């Protein structure tokens, strides 16, 4: 059945993988964004979840809303509430929320915000699904890129990640829209748990950036929780695309091949 699906955050890392997949599966796709975009195969709704501008119009006529938008900050709770209120007034589309593995066990402000957003979705009165995933491959490479002007790349010692490819998260989200409201679904983890320093070296080697990688001890509760692996989904290592495959794609793209 064709459904009209609103994607918030459809211009972000995950959203850019999701939107073409949804459209390719026969859904009518609308993307909420704060700035005007060029016309494409899908509709653009200009709006802002922080101010509420354009949100009612964006939700109108939808059967599903996939909420990916994030500002990485406290404003996400109010933004999610604005979206929930608009969806409720619209008659109750299926609300799908993407969250992060282990958020109740890592003492990070952003994770507390994600947990509060999950609670809002669960209590919204809307039909809902929450999918938690581990960190995306791109997050690891972005952390390295942010240090490109430094003579070395620093990573937290004793910390591992289990990164997953956004295309696999996107495929799962398409399946969720098609399955209908499913409450909390099983977590999605990347194919393997890897030491942060090793991931950084794999990436730097693939893109030909010559840098030493230094593991540095970082104090604090959040890092202790990361060292304990509370953000990992070892039992749910269902992703298949490896970090090596992902960075090989990044290297090809950068060299124009
Ligand atoms: N990155 C990870 O490793 C990871 C892991 C697990 C779960 N997640 C979750 O997955 C989701 C997507 O993450 P991502 O990394 O793909 O995000 P991202 O690349 O940081 O993109 C953020 C998106 O939010 C939109 N946005 C920001 N402020 C907005 C506002 N006020 N109103 C409307 N839209 C707004 C942006 O759209 P415009 O700029 O076009 O307005 C953009 O598309 C997030 O909920 C994140 O918590 C991420």
């Amino acid at each position: 059945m064709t459904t009209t699906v609103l994607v918030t955050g459809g211009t972000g890392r995950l959203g850019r993988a999701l939107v073409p997949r949804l459209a390719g599966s026969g859904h009518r796709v609308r993307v909420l964004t704060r700035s005007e975009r060029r016309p494409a195969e899908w509709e653009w709704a200009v709006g802002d979840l922080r101010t509420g501008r354009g949100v009612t119009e964006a939700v109108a006529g939808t059967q599903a809303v996939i909420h990916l938008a994030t500002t990485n900050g406290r404003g996400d709770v109010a933004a999610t509430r604005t979206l929930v209120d608009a969806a409720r007034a619209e008659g109750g589309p299926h609300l799908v929320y993407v969250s992060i593995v282990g958020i109740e066990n890592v003492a990070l402000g952003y994770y507390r915000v994600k947990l509060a957003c999950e609670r809002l979705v669960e209590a919204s009165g809307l039909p809902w699904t929450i999918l938690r995933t581990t960190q995306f491959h791109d997050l690891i490479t972005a952390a390295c890129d942010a240090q490109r002007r430094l003579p070395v790349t620093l990573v937290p010692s004793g910390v591992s990640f289990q990164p997953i490819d956004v295309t696999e998260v996107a495929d799962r989200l398409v399946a969720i829209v098609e399955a209908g409201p499913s409450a909390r679904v099983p977590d999605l983890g990347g194919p393997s748990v890897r030491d942060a320093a090793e991931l950084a070296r794999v990436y730097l080697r693939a893109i030909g950036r010559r840098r030493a990688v230094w593991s540095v001890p970082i104090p604090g509760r959040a890092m202790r929780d990361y060292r304990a692996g509370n953000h990992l989904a070892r039992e749910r290592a269902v992703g298949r695309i490896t970090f090596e495959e992902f960075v090989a794609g990044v290297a090809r793209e950068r060299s124009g091949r």
Side-chain angles (χ1 to χ4, degrees):
M1 194 182 75
T2 303
T3 49
T4 300
V5 185
L6 174 70
V7 183
T8 78
T11 58
R13 269 186 286 247
L14 173 56
R16 288 193 300 275
L18 172 63
V19 167
R21 281 175 168 73
L22 275 174
S25 303
H27 300 285
R28 224 173 286 125
V29 184
R30 189 179 298 157
V31 177
L32 178 71
T33 175
R34 287 165 297 174
S35 48
E36 199 75 55
R37 305 278 163 160
R38 269 176 292 154
E41 304 93 299
W42 38 86
E43 259 177 69
W44 296 99
V46 178
D48 190 328
L49 288 167
R50 301 291 284 274
T51 63
R53 171 179 65 105
V55 178
T56 302
E57 295 81 352
V59 171
T62 57
Q63 286 80 50
V65 174
I66 307 184
H67 182 33
L68 309 178
T70 180
T71 54
N72 283 338
R74 289 193 162 277
D76 282 6
V77 179
T80 300
R81 191 174 295 118
T82 299
L83 184 68
V84 162
D85 290 347
R88 246 202 245 120
E90 183 49 36
H94 174 197
L95 179 60
V96 182
Y97 186 62
V98 175
S99 191
I100 306 172
V101 168
I103 48 177
E104 54 280 90
N105 295 317
V106 179
L108 211 59
Y110 182 56
Y111 286 11
R112 279 194 291 275
V113 165
K114 295 294 290 184
L115 203 53
C117 292
E118 284 192 2
R119 297 288 174 266
L120 272 177
V121 170
E122 289 164 3
S124 65
L126 296 164
W128 59 273
T129 305
I130 293 175
L131 171 67
R132 289 184 175 184
T133 86
T134 53
Q135 283 64 46
F136 304 157
H137 287 320
D138 327 45
L139 195 73
I140 311 292
T141 57
C144 294
D145 288 343
Q147 303 183 56
R148 64 183 164 274
R149 293 188 199 289
L150 300 181
V152 294
T153 298
L154 306 177
V155 297
S157 62
V159 173
S160 295
F161 290 100
Q162 188 182 349
I164 188 158
D165 202 86
V166 286
T167 61
E168 294 182 310
V169 180
D171 287 339
R172 184 82 180 88
L173 289 171
V174 174
I176 284 171
V177 165
E178 288 167 4
S182 306
R184 173 86 185 274
V185 293
D187 294 349
L188 206 53
S192 57
V193 175
R194 313 274 299 269
D195 181 68
E198 184 197 344
L199 290 169
R201 287 194 186 98
V202 166
Y203 174 54
L204 296 175
R205 203 178 312 122
I207 61 165
R209 191 181 293 154
R210 292 165 64 88
R211 286 283 188 297
V213 174
W214 288 0
S215 293
V216 290
I218 302 182
R221 276 188 59 203
M223 277 303 148
R224 188 197 59 201
D225 294 338
Y226 274 126
R227 281 192 298 277
N230 294 351
H231 59 304
L232 303 174
R234 292 181 189 275
E235 309 301 312
R236 292 284 307 154
V238 291
R240 303 176 82 93
I241 301 174
T242 64
F243 188 68
E244 275 78 359
E245 287 167 333
F246 170 75
V247 297
V250 172
R252 270 197 305 278
E253 228 170 72
R254 293 204 184 160
S255 66
R257 275 181 280 139

